[in-house]
């Protein structure tokens, strides 16, 4: 062992345990091994080995982790390697340790690396946008379908995945009612990833939190933003969200209503359907057969029948008057 290496190891032995988050495991000429832990899931082992011509040659770096993705570790090794190649002839052990720590601290989204890759590869299309805001630990998405779009902000908390992602629908041109519904459902999906069920079944294995980012994005992108603009109204069979999002303002009858079964109707179509017989035993969704409940039209069948009858009678009277006058 060279004197230079001996001196460097002596320094490392003293300094590494004082670096925040580090535990020194081994510090001998054959190997330096230390663990860096920011949270239970941001935990990485750094293993360094010294080639014969060290420090004229770069130290050999290996990173392992039970929680961080292989792909992330491989690219972090490449970055560390590039950094030490700029330090040939100098001490490299502490710089590697500091580099690893800085990377984990400055890239809080590293804990969701595989999920983010899956979102990029499988969920978003060419016209959509995904931006990582490492300084905010957030993923910003703009999802587009036809002329509809929604901006979403998903924030990955510090102790992810023990804590779930938070979800915010920023601007969008979706009806407010749908935006609220999308976010509400997405929050529930995220909650189920991070919190045990309220009523666990006795045979269930013990609850373990799981990552929520990808599941939430799958729902918001595939099940919501990409899907809803393509749905048809169960009554008129036309697109329930007008192809031109601006057109709804001019025609309130084309406003979207969501009923209990989850199907969407044009306001006008639903109103007409609910006020037209048969009323017996209630009104049912033509698409799924479930009974329609909607807070705006909570009429018992008898009352609906009576109203319909009186409207018909009025129309007959009116027709008689018109006949009489003509
Ligand atoms: Zn309709
Ligand atoms: Zn339905």
């Amino acid at each position: 062992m060279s004197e230079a290496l001996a001196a460097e190891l002596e320094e490392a032995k003293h300094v590494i345990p004082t670096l925040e988050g580090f535990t020194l495991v081994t510090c001998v000429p054959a190997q330096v091994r230390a663990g860096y832990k920011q949270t239970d899931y941001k935990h990485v082992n750094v293993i360094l080995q010294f080639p014969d011509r060290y420090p004229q040659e770069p130290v050999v770096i290996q990173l392992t982790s039970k929680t961080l993705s292989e792909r992330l570790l491989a690219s972090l090794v490449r970055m560390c390697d590039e950094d030490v190649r700029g330090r040939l002839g100098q001490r490299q052990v502490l710089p590697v340790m500091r580099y690893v720590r800085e990377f984990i601290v400055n890239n809080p989204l590293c804990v969701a690396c595989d999920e983010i890759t899956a979102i990029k590869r499988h969920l978003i299309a060419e016209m959509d946008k995904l931006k990582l805001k490492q300084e905010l630990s957030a993923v910003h998405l703009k999802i587009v379908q036809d002329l509809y779009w929604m901006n979403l902000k998903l924030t990955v908390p510090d102790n992810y995945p023990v804590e779930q992602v938070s979800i915010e629908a920023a601007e969008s041109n979706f009806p407010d009612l749908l935006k609220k519904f999308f976010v509400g459902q997405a929050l529930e999906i995220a909650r189920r990833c991070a919190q045990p069920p309220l009523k666990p079944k006795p045979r269930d294995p013990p609850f373990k939190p799981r990552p929520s980012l990808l599941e939430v994005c799958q729902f918001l992108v595939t099940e919501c933003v990409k899907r809803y603009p393509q749905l048809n109204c169960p009554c008129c069979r036309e697109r329930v969200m007008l192809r031109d999002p601006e057109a709804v303002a001019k025609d309130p009858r084309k406003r979207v209503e969501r009923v209990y079964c989850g199907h969407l109707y044009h306001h006008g179509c639903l109103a007409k359907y609910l006020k037209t017989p048969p009323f017996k035993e209630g009104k049912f969704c033509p698409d799924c057969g479930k009974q329609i409940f909607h807070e705006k039209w909570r009429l018992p069948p008898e009352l609906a029948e009576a109203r319909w009858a009186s409207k018909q009678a009025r129309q007959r009277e009116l027709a008689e008057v018109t006949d009489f006058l003509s």
Side-chain angles (χ1 to χ4, degrees), residues 130-292:
L130 178 146
K131 261 195 202 154
L132 302 184
K133 301 272 179 183
Q134 290 285 4
E135 69 282 8
L136 301 169
S137 192
V139 179
H140 288 195
L141 288 170
K142 178 174 186 172
I143 307 299
V144 181
Q145 178 66 45
D146 305 331
L147 293 175
Y148 287 90
W149 55 271
M150 184 173 277
N151 286 344
L152 296 161
K153 287 185 198 167
L154 299 132
T155 309
V156 175
D158 225 14
N159 61 341
Y160 184 81
V162 175
E163 211 178 293
Q164 73 210 43
V165 286
S166 63
I167 305 151
E168 191 193 326
E171 309 84 54
S172 93
N173 64 354
F174 274 74
D176 239 23
L177 145 115
L178 289 182
K179 197 167 108 172
K180 278 186 199 142
F181 169 72
F182 294 169
V183 174
Q185 292 290 104
L187 279 171
E188 177 58 16
I189 291 171
R191 192 194 62 77
R192 281 187 209 161
C193 291
Q195 290 170 34
L198 298 173
K199 286 180 195 160
K201 295 191 187 95
R203 295 242 178 115
D204 282 354
F207 180 80
K208 219 179 118 201
R210 61 179 193 277
S212 46
L213 179 65
L214 181 59
E215 261 184 67
V216 161
C217 286
Q218 244 153 2
F219 172 75
L220 286 170
V221 175
T222 316
E223 302 283 309
C224 297
V225 180
K226 299 276 181 195
R227 181 168 158 258
Y228 275 75
Q230 306 193 60
L231 297 178
N232 291 337
C233 168
C235 293
C236 68
R237 299 286 160 199
E238 303 273 322
R239 285 272 175 111
V240 73
M241 294 173 70
L242 300 185
R243 279 169 209 271
D244 173 10
E246 313 274 307
V248 186
K250 291 176 214 134
D251 190 353
R253 284 169 310 158
K254 298 288 182 191
R255 254 193 355 249
V256 167
E257 299 286 354
R258 191 175 174 278
V259 297
Y260 178 74
C261 61
H263 282 114
L264 299 187
Y265 290 74
H266 294 125
H267 177 88
C269 294
L270 183 64
K272 195 172 143 202
Y273 179 60
L274 293 179
K275 287 181 200 156
T276 313
F279 297 111
K280 225 179 154 194
E281 279 137 24
K283 300 294 285 182
F284 297 87
C285 173
D287 270 14
C288 67
K290 288 196 184 134
Q291 191 162 7
I292 295 180

Side-chain angles (χ1 to χ4, degrees), residues 265-322:
Y265 290 74
H266 294 125
H267 177 88
C269 294
L270 183 64
K272 195 172 143 202
Y273 179 60
L274 293 179
K275 287 181 200 156
T276 313
F279 297 111
K280 225 179 154 194
E281 279 137 24
K283 300 294 285 182
F284 297 87
C285 173
D287 270 14
C288 67
K290 288 196 184 134
Q291 191 162 7
I292 295 180
F293 295 104
H294 195 293
E295 52 196 12
K296 285 186 198 156
W297 294 276
R298 263 202 299 222
L299 284 187
E302 311 77 55
L303 191 53
E305 186 91 53
R307 283 204 186 161
W308 183 77
S310 89
K311 195 175 161 200
Q312 294 294 310
R314 258 203 320 279
Q315 269 169 0
R316 268 200 310 277
E317 275 168 28
L318 205 63
E320 278 163 19
V321 174
T322 351

